[in-house]
Amino acid sequence: MSLAFLDTGPRDGGNTIVFLHAFPLNQGMWQPQVAEFGATNRVITLDWPGFGASPLALPGNQKGMEGYAASLCELLDQRQVDSAHICGLSMGGYVAFALCRLAPERVRALILCDTRAGADSPEVRQGRLEMAKLIGEDGQHGLEQLIEAMLPRLLSETTRASNPGLVEEIREMMRQSRPEGVCHALHALAERCDSSDLTELIGAMSTGATIIVGADDRITTPAEMRQLADRIRGASLVTIEKAGHLPNLEQSNSFNEAIWEALRRSPQ
Ligand code: MLT
């Protein structure tokens, strides 16, 4: 099984950056970053199983965030990438943590956006499992309910008021997810382990970490992201104004500038 992916840009000279998408979107969310970085850097994006154009099954029947991280390693093997800048947003960040546990040597530098190291609270976990049950029973109809519940929480007020086209684009991207893939991901989210213990390891990576958060993110708040940055030695924190949980789409210029800065801090 192979994940759907994009591997673009020059093979020599620049950095290799792998962008890991959020739930329940797909690699299409990285379009502004592919456009910005793909001319001078090798850029890889991918769809998690059951999202975008990827098939449902994980290689070797692996489950959870560890399964996603293993499928990422398999793709990196296939593309002959030893290590890369890993940029994960929200669920993509959870997979980046799992990758640090599974294969830290593949992480050249870490960029963690709108994510958290901790596991879910019992209430959040319960909510996810109920949603998975609903989608398991109601398929696309259940998925629509999830989308309409999530959409207003994902974006800043500024984005919702000033960029209805982006709101619609994100809704459509979510609709490309398969209900079974979303169910699997909800279980993976609910069952993911606490990665707080990894902050020491990440701080010890000589290349340093960059933490990015939308100033108006209500899902993974700036306060939480500051705590994460404080726990990682040498990490730098960038707050993107007028953005919610998806700053790479909502304020792509500021977000891209933060990535350029991360590349300057830890070049190839
Ligand atoms: C995401 O954007 O990937 C999700 O909001 C993650 C989560 O619900 O914890």
Side-chain angles (χ1 to χ4, degrees):
M1 183 220 71
S2 176
L3 297 178
F5 67 90
L6 173 80
D7 182 357
T8 188
R11 296 291 184 271
D12 46 9
N15 296 282
T16 299
I17 319 169
V18 180
F19 289 101
L20 307 179
H21 74 77
F23 170 87
L25 289 98
N26 60 55
Q27 61 180 318
M29 70 172 262
W30 296 114
Q31 199 279 329
Q33 284 66 51
V34 173
E36 175 82 4
F37 297 99
T40 47
N41 296 273
R42 183 174 182 182
V43 172
I44 296 177
T45 62
L46 59 139
D47 291 329
W48 300 124
F51 292 88
S54 277
L56 268 178
L58 284 165
N61 218 10
Q62 297 194 64
K63 294 210 172 0
M65 292 304 153
E66 295 70 26
Y68 291 151
S71 65
L72 170 59
C73 283
E74 206 169 271
L75 180 66
L76 294 178
D77 287 344
Q78 189 192 323
R79 305 308 299 165
Q80 299 181 321
V81 173
D82 293 336
S83 71
H85 283 67
I86 303 290
C87 175
L89 193 147
S90 201
M91 186 174 88
Y94 306 156
V95 183
F97 282 121
L99 180 67
C100 287
R101 205 182 289 284
L102 181 73
E105 71 284 358
R106 306 211 83 144
V107 183
R108 162 110 196 102
L110 201 54
I111 305 168
L112 294 167
C113 319
D114 303 271
T115 192
R116 62 168 59 88
D120 281 350
S121 67
E123 297 74 37
V124 172
R125 188 173 302 137
Q126 185 60 27
R128 294 205 205 267
L129 296 178
E130 281 165 18
M131 184 52 82
K133 188 162 179 286
L134 177 76
I135 296 174
E137 287 165 4
D138 276 7
Q140 194 64 30
H141 185 248
L143 177 58
E144 289 293 331
Q145 283 182 253
L146 171 81
I147 292 171
E148 295 315 318
M150 275 194 82
L151 204 45
R153 282 168 47 74
L154 282 177
L155 303 169
S156 69
E157 250 173 58
T158 310
T159 303
R160 279 182 284 140
S162 65
N163 200 347
L166 179 61
V167 179
E168 209 36 51
E169 239 176 75
I170 294 170
R171 180 182 277 116
E172 282 310 313
M173 213 184 291
M174 289 170 156
R175 282 185 176 148
Q176 290 163 16
S177 307
R178 293 211 237 156
E180 298 90 333
V182 172
C183 273
H184 176 97
L186 282 164
H187 281 277
L189 288 164
E191 286 148 23
R192 77 183 192 282
C193 66
D194 187 343
S195 292
S196 306
D197 60 310
L198 288 174
T199 51
E200 202 173 316
L201 170 90
I202 294 167
M205 286 174 174
S206 56
T207 48
T210 300
I211 314 287
I212 303 176
V213 63
D216 303 327
D217 188 347
R218 292 188 288 154
I219 298 177
T220 44
T221 63
E224 246 185 298
M225 295 295 284
R226 170 163 295 286
Q227 277 177 16
L228 176 63
D230 286 347
R231 292 183 62 141
I232 300 176
R233 188 163 56 87
S236 75
L237 174 69
V238 183
T239 305
I240 309 287
E241 297 302 326
K242 297 194 172 100
H245 193 58
L246 300 174
N248 70 303
L249 286 167
E250 299 180 71
Q251 298 295 336
S252 51
N253 289 342
S254 310
F255 183 91
N256 288 346
E257 187 43 50
I259 303 281
W260 281 121
E261 184 53 33
L263 296 179
R264 283 192 282 271
R265 289 177 76 217
S266 49
Q268 180 67 23

